[in-house]
Amino acid sequence: MTSTPPPGSPFNANIPQLPYIPSPSGPTYHHPRASINSSFSFGPQSLVNSFVGGNPLHPHPLALDPNRSVLPSSPLRSSPRAQRRTKGSTGRHPLAIDNTDVFQDSGDEPDEDIEWGMVDRMRLWRHDALMQHLYDTAAFWGTRFFLGLVHDPNDAFWLAQTYFMTHRYSRAERLLTRPFSTKPPVVPFDLKGKAREPDFPPRLPVGPAAMVDVAAEQQEGVSRLVDMSVVCRYLAAQCLVRQGKWAEATEMLGEANPFRYSGTSMFSPPIQSLRTDRLLGRSGPAVPNTDGGIKVEASMCNLRGLLMLKLNRGDQAKACFMEALALDVKCYDAFEQLVGGEMMTLNEEWEFVQSLAYKEQTPEDAEFVCLIYTSRLRKYKHAEEHALTRRRLVEEFGLSDNPDVLYSFADALYAQFRWSDCYAITSRILGLVAVHTATMPLHIACMHHLPHLHSKLFILAHELVDREPESATSWYAVGVWYLTQKKWSDARTYFSKTSLMDPRFGPAWIAFAHTFAFEGEHDHAVTAYSTCARMFTGSHLPLMFIGMEHIVLSNYAQADESLKAANAMCDGDPLLINECGVLAFNHGWYADAADKFRSALEIAQVTQTSQASWATTWLNLGTSLRKLGRLAEARDAYVKVLEIDSRSAPALGFLGLVYHLMDRLDDAIVKYHEALSINPINAHVLELLNLALEASAESGPLPRFENAGPSEEAARDKEKEKEGESSTRAAFGDMQEGEAGMTLG
């Protein structure tokens, strides 16, 4: 059987080779790319200078073009020379075919064969070994012909890729930053693989200071791969990040996007006259990717954002991720960091995602990409738009059983506190895929809120730890199970472990602070919530919880500040509006409190949320109306609570108080007895019952104290009002504890 050709690109069979750009010269370019004497820096500016001013009429500036993807702009090509066809007609290797099918029988498809030499066959072995995950084999054969036979930058790039896949980041970095000859390689073999007169380039120095040791006469033809190719620089930065070298990685990538202003604004008039229209203004969101892949410039911005997170520069990280997604809407990693990491507020993320250049970058798939991104946004607002988005994805694209679309539905149900419905959807998702990263926290939180699923939560936590002990979600499940058992210290231990494994895992930070709140350590809870607020600057939940804790501590000024800040970030969360009403009630602003409670209930009705979750808000509304003397409306609110939960002791007690104030003593006594049958040790209700019984024994329906003086009657009224307020405060204590449990995760 004759030899087979090495593989080409799986996307484009006619990808041009890596251009060998000579050192530019002329009046418009003052810093040669490979010059050591003029300027020496490991930053990307020399690469940008080559892109802007180096050889502007080159027909294929792929290696320097940041708007192309990795495959065509990387040094991927089969051979640096043209191949000679033979007369034989046999099947081609599957890796040499564009639409590779690993199950096809290559012998059934006749095609022209090409005769390849020794180096070409070794390239085939290397690439085939990579496809079969034989990384040591790929590195072995890649090292043989690169270091011994041909010094080709394309082979160096793929050898570095092999090292990167096997976590040998230091070796890959050294290979990409060592001196390299920019002259085209000379193959010391003919087509038959026979040796001919060798023409090797002069031996270059090696080591960390190799570029400094390059002789002066060799500097014009010597450079580094990171200065010859954008993709090589990106790979080198990846290696530095994996090694934890934050400063070196920042210098390799640049503090900001170096290609941001590489369009027409940077070109001087002489260069503008040389460049064609195709090359002008080639950087920016409006410039589409020309080969169907993902822009390397966007990938570099995304990596720069991850690096800024490592350096605790949250604002810069957010800007980098936004720039990456704007440059290429296909860069989902940046989208996940922005939306999944809650780095933008509710309105910011909606406006940003809707304003991306979908049609300019992906004209054929613009509608689908926009819909799938919209479905992942938070569900506190735009309920109708989210419902329409899910319906279109199901009806127009047939994604009724897609895990991401189902997750969007489950997320909406969770935001409405419909735990059972959300659990049904998440169970379906986990039945389709073993692990869905975004779904698992929702699934675990629903099992926490549904008492009959606590045993299943215990089993799930064990299974996750056994199956994926390195996953932060596994230990988060363990912490939530301890939370259901009210073992606050143990739960806090596992939540802390989860946050150490994944510092960007938001539910673990929230649950960690909840353990302090449930334990009564409100000062520690405020500190934990504050840390969470600094890390997840786009989420209003930490600020809302801080306000709740300050209300418990009677720090109303701080509570007002926190709740206003949370409301500025998200004004569509009914739970937040309820907390603002609680704060207004504690200030004595009963009319304002009643308005806020009504507003919260109206928003909850729009989102079709679970009515059982808002029984406490109805209770708060009734209490506010009773304080305003609107007894009939207060009675209706308490009746609504009893329709939702017929065994609500606070609602029965307050309804009895309303009947008492309305001179309906018999009804009041009945409600007091019903409240005491549920909570027999409520001292406030017992005292109110005694007052009602005493009044019933008197001649009038309500004790008017006709024989008492005005001062004695006022004192008794004041005592009765004080007793009512004590019961109100007790109800608010129950309300706050219930809300803290509702917002877990």
Side-chain angles (χ1 to χ4, degrees):
M1 182 176 179
T2 58
S3 60
T4 54
S9 168
F11 296 99
N12 187 357
N14 298 318
I15 292 176
Q17 59 183 346
L18 174 71
Y20 295 96
I21 301 176
S23 297
S25 60
T28 61
Y29 194 85
H30 303 287
H31 298 284
R33 171 171 50 82
S35 174
I36 304 297
N37 298 326
S38 58
S39 64
F40 180 74
S41 173
F42 286 98
Q45 191 56 44
S46 61
L47 194 67
V48 178
N49 292 339
S50 297
F51 171 63
V52 174
N55 200 359
L57 297 179
H58 198 287
H60 301 292
L62 302 181
L64 300 174
D65 190 356
N67 293 304
R68 292 184 176 268
S69 62
V70 170
L71 286 173
S73 64
S74 67
L76 171 59
R77 57 193 174 92
S78 58
S79 179
R81 53 184 169 77
Q83 305 298 332
R84 179 172 63 86
R85 296 185 180 274
T86 61
K87 297 181 180 180
S89 178
T90 58
R92 297 179 64 191
H93 192 278
L95 293 175
I97 303 175
D98 294 342
N99 52 352
T100 303
D101 182 3
V102 296
F103 297 101
Q104 70 180 355
D105 185 3
S106 59
D108 297 337
E109 208 172 305
D111 195 3
E112 288 187 335
D113 196 10
I114 304 176
E115 186 175 357
W116 304 93
M118 178 187 297
V119 174
D120 304 319
R121 289 191 293 272
M122 290 185 181
R123 286 194 177 102
L124 172 61
W125 301 344
R126 176 202 64 198
H127 197 82
D128 200 6
L130 283 175
M131 296 299 101
Q132 298 186 39
H133 307 288
L134 302 174
Y135 299 117
D136 289 337
T137 301
F140 177 82
W141 293 116
T143 306
R144 297 289 81 74
F145 65 80
F146 168 65
L147 296 179
L149 301 177
V150 179
H151 293 265
D152 190 345
N154 305 288
D155 300 324
F157 172 81
W158 285 104
L159 182 58
Q161 283 278 22
T162 304
Y163 289 150
F164 185 85
M165 293 177 183
T166 54
H167 311 292
R168 289 177 279 188
Y169 307 119
S170 179
R171 296 183 66 178
E173 177 212 345
R174 179 66 62 85
L175 183 60
L176 293 169
T177 56
R178 58 171 285 186
F180 206 89
S181 176
T182 59
K183 297 179 181 180
V186 178
V187 182
F189 295 90
D190 58 16
L191 295 177
K192 301 291 187 179
K194 299 179 180 179
R196 65 187 180 191
E197 187 67 23
D199 185 14
F200 295 111
R203 184 170 296 180
L204 298 174
V206 295
M211 286 298 298
V212 182
D213 298 334
V214 175
E217 60 274 9
Q218 297 178 350
Q219 291 181 8
E220 187 65 21
V222 174
S223 182
R224 303 176 303 166
L225 288 178
V226 294
D227 295 325
M228 298 167 61
S229 170
V230 179
V231 181
C232 291
R233 180 168 289 272
Y234 171 66
L235 180 58
Q238 285 276 17
C239 295
L240 291 170
V241 171
R242 293 298 200 284
Q243 296 177 77
K245 299 180 179 179
W246 316 131
E248 293 87 342
T250 303
E251 187 176 9
M252 182 68 68
L253 287 172
E255 289 279 350
N257 182 13
F259 297 99
R260 185 180 301 163
Y261 304 109
S262 59
T264 56
S265 60
M266 282 189 60
F267 299 150
S268 58
I271 295 185
Q272 287 188 15
S273 62
L274 291 175
R275 284 187 175 256
T276 62
D277 293 338
R278 182 177 63 87
L279 299 179
L280 287 176
R282 298 191 314 174
S283 179
V287 180
N289 179 271
T290 57
D291 51 50
I294 299 175
K295 295 180 183 178
V296 183
E297 183 182 5
S299 300
M300 294 178 71
C301 289
N302 178 72
L303 181 60
R304 189 179 296 108
L306 295 175
L307 185 58
M308 293 302 162
L309 285 180
K310 298 290 186 182
L311 298 173
N312 294 322
R313 302 180 188 176
D315 293 338
Q316 295 182 29
K318 174 184 173 182
C320 291
F321 291 132
M322 292 179 68
E323 184 176 11
L325 190 58
L327 286 170
D328 198 326
V329 296
K330 301 183 292 295
C331 187
Y332 173 77
D333 286 60
F335 175 85
E336 177 61 27
Q337 289 292 337
L338 289 170
V339 177
E342 298 189 72
M343 303 185 75
M344 295 189 295
T345 63
L346 192 67
N347 293 328
E348 280 181 346
E349 69 178 21
W350 179 268
E351 295 173 0
F352 177 69
V353 170
Q354 300 303 319
S355 64
L356 292 174
Y358 299 103
K359 293 184 179 179
E360 291 81 359
Q361 297 180 20
T362 58
E364 297 87 358
D365 306 312
E367 197 71 22
F368 174 75
V369 177
C370 181
L371 289 174
I372 202 69
Y373 278 174
T374 302
S375 68
R376 288 296 305 273
L377 302 182
R378 283 173 283 180
K379 309 301 188 299
Y380 295 107
K381 297 178 68 174
H382 308 286
E384 295 181 0
E385 290 85 347
H386 282 294
L388 178 61
T389 297
R390 290 192 294 271
R391 183 162 60 249
R392 290 190 60 188
L393 287 171
V394 171
E395 296 177 355
E396 298 179 16
F397 298 96
L399 299 179
S400 59
D401 224 13
N402 181 269
D404 292 326
V405 177
L406 290 175
Y407 167 75
S408 175
F409 189 29
D411 192 25
L413 294 174
Y414 186 84
Q416 299 166 9
F417 307 122
R418 296 167 61 178
W419 318 123
S420 298
D421 297 334
C422 181
Y423 177 76
I425 301 297
T426 57
S427 299
R428 174 62 180 172
I429 296 173
L430 297 179
L432 294 172
V433 292
V435 175
H436 194 260
T437 305
T439 300
M440 192 59 71
L442 291 185
H443 189 70
I444 295 171
C446 290
M447 298 177 80
H448 164 77
H449 291 298
L450 300 172
H452 66 281
L453 294 177
H454 289 178
S455 59
K456 289 188 176 181
L457 176 59
F458 176 82
I459 297 174
L460 176 64
H462 271 281
E463 291 178 351
L464 290 175
V465 170
D466 293 339
R467 189 169 62 236
E468 297 184 357
E470 301 300 325
S471 174
T473 307
S474 302
W475 300 104
Y476 171 71
V478 177
V480 172
W481 184 82
Y482 279 110
L483 193 68
T484 60
Q485 305 303 309
K486 299 183 179 181
K487 298 180 179 180
W488 317 125
S489 180
D490 295 333
R492 189 157 52 243
T493 299
Y494 286 102
F495 290 142
S496 178
K497 181 175 182 177
T498 303
S499 60
L500 288 175
M501 296 176 67
D502 184 3
R504 300 295 301 174
F505 194 82
W509 286 98
I510 293 290
F512 177 79
H514 280 345
T515 59
F516 288 114
F518 286 132
E519 207 170 14
E521 298 288 343
H522 301 295
D523 292 331
H524 293 299
V526 169
T527 303
Y529 287 132
S530 300
T531 303
C532 186
R534 287 194 300 270
M535 296 187 63
F536 304 94
T537 55
S539 176
H540 70 286
L541 293 178
L543 293 172
M544 182 184 69
F545 294 139
I546 292 173
M548 293 171 64
E549 294 302 312
H550 282 307
I551 290 175
V552 174
L553 296 172
S554 299
N555 298 329
Y556 298 134
Q558 293 90 331
D560 185 66
E561 181 180 355
S562 299
L563 293 179
K564 283 183 177 179
N567 189 68
M569 299 172 65
C570 177
D571 57 356
D573 186 358
L575 183 59
L576 173 59
I577 299 175
N578 175 78
E579 293 304 318
C580 293
V582 173
L583 180 61
F585 183 92
N586 282 279
H587 279 301
W589 307 331
Y590 303 127
D592 187 25
D595 292 340
K596 291 187 181 301
F597 291 139
R598 287 189 186 276
S599 177
L601 292 171
E602 290 173 0
I603 296 176
Q605 184 68 28
V606 169
T607 58
Q608 300 178 359
T609 186
S610 173
Q611 290 296 317
S613 302
W614 300 105
T616 303
T617 304
W618 282 105
L619 187 69
N620 297 340
L621 175 62
T623 304
S624 300
L625 294 171
R626 179 175 59 81
K627 286 287 187 178
L628 293 171
R630 297 155 63 177
L631 299 181
E633 296 179 58
R635 178 198 57 198
D636 294 340
Y638 292 139
V639 170
K640 180 66 175 180
V641 176
L642 294 175
E643 290 177 358
I644 298 173
D645 182 9
S646 60
R647 292 183 56 82
S648 175
L652 290 169
F654 284 142
L655 183 58
L657 179 59
V658 169
Y659 286 146
H660 198 153
L661 295 174
M662 295 174 69
D663 295 339
R664 296 170 56 178
L665 291 179
D666 293 339
D667 293 333
I669 292 172
V670 171
K671 296 303 175 183
Y672 289 149
H673 278 294
E674 291 180 4
L676 290 173
S677 66
I678 300 172
N679 185 10
I681 60 174
N682 192 321
H684 305 295
V685 178
L686 283 171
E687 190 169 356
L688 289 171
L689 176 60
N690 292 331
L691 289 173
L693 291 173
E694 291 175 3
S696 180
E698 298 289 336
S699 58
L702 190 68
R704 297 295 183 181
F705 309 107
E706 290 86 1
N707 299 328
S711 59
E712 183 179 354
E713 182 178 352
R716 290 180 180 272
D717 290 340
K718 184 176 181 181
E719 181 180 358
K720 183 176 64 174
E721 181 69 20
K722 181 178 179 181
E723 293 164 353
E725 291 177 355
S726 300
S727 301
T728 301
R729 285 196 295 270
F732 277 120
D734 295 339
M735 172 201 63
Q736 291 166 356
E737 181 179 357
E739 288 168 352
M742 282 195 299
T743 53
L744 174 65

